[in-house]
């Protein structure tokens, strides 16, 4: 229910475009079961983070902004971001599922940041929505791109 509330309230919702059985075909039934009208949502590809990165837009989005990095790979990701010249003003890690959402939001509220990169599995959807709704901040569900950058498999 909390995830459904986050989807209803999000400014932009990433949806899977893959027609594999556990992706796009599940979207309509899940939204319908929670009373969410897909036509009322602003939609993008659920892999928009990768697209932004590949096109070079992510670098421009982060440049000159104070970044808050959230998730289990946050320390390594923050190190890579700082080494690439980005300003990381906060790290929140670990995120242990939905039970940690309140703690994460409270910690974020004590951090000076412009953009949060949230990589925390499914709770990232709720964290990103709450950062925007409650703190008026820009937040991006950064997904597994955080792991790829943190490990050096993707560069900035």
């Amino acid at each position: 229910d909390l995830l459904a509330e986050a989807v209803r309230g999000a400014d932009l919702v990433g949806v899977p475009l893959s027609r594999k059985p556990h992706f796009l075909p599940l979207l309509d039934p899940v939204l319908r079961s929670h009373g969410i009208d897909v036509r009322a949502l602003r939609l993008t590809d659920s892999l928009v983070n990768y697209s932004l990165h590949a096109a070079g837009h992510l670098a421009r989005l982060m440049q000159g902004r104070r970044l808050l990095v959230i998730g289990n790979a946050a320390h390594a990701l923050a190190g890579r971001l700082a080494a690439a010249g980005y300003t990381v003003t906060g790290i929140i890690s670990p995120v242990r599922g939905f039970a940690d959402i309140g703690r994460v939001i409270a910690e974020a509220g004590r951090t000076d940041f412009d953009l949060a990169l949230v990589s925390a599995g499914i709770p990232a959807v709720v964290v990103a929505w709450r950062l925007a709704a409650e703190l008026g901040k820009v937040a991006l569900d950064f997904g597994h791109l955080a792991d790829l950058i943190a490990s050096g498999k993707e560069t900035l």
Side-chain angles (χ1 to χ4, degrees):
D1 290 339
L2 186 56
L3 183 58
E5 185 179 355
V7 168
R8 273 189 210 93
D11 293 315
L12 191 60
V13 178
V15 297
L17 300 180
S18 171
R19 295 192 181 278
K20 292 182 179 178
H22 292 88
F23 292 98
L24 187 59
L26 282 179
L27 181 64
D28 186 55
V30 168
L31 292 178
R32 200 173 330 113
S33 73
H34 287 279
I36 300 172
D37 181 357
V38 70
R39 296 170 299 186
L41 302 175
R42 289 185 59 205
L43 302 175
T44 188
D45 181 0
S46 61
L47 301 176
V48 67
N49 53 334
Y50 295 99
S51 300
L52 288 171
H53 176 58
H57 299 306
L58 184 60
R60 289 194 302 275
L61 181 67
M62 295 187 303
Q63 193 63 45
R65 302 228 169 37
R66 296 164 298 170
L67 305 175
L68 171 60
V69 185
I70 300 172
N72 295 341
H75 289 282
L77 176 59
R80 296 274 182 183
L81 290 167
Y86 298 101
T87 304
V88 177
T89 58
I91 298 169
I92 301 175
S93 182
V95 179
R96 296 182 188 99
F98 276 78
D100 261 1
I101 292 173
R103 176 188 59 83
V104 169
I105 299 303
E107 285 187 38
R110 297 188 295 272
T111 305
D112 190 21
F113 70 98
D114 303 307
L115 171 63
L117 304 176
V118 187
S119 297
I122 295 171
V125 175
V126 177
V127 168
W129 165 65
R130 286 189 57 188
L131 291 173
E134 297 173 22
L135 302 181
K137 300 292 186 170
V138 177
L140 175 63
D141 181 347
F142 209 53
H144 286 291
L145 185 55
D147 300 316
L148 294 174
I149 293 171
S151 70
K153 291 179 182 173
E154 284 287 335
T155 59
L156 294 164

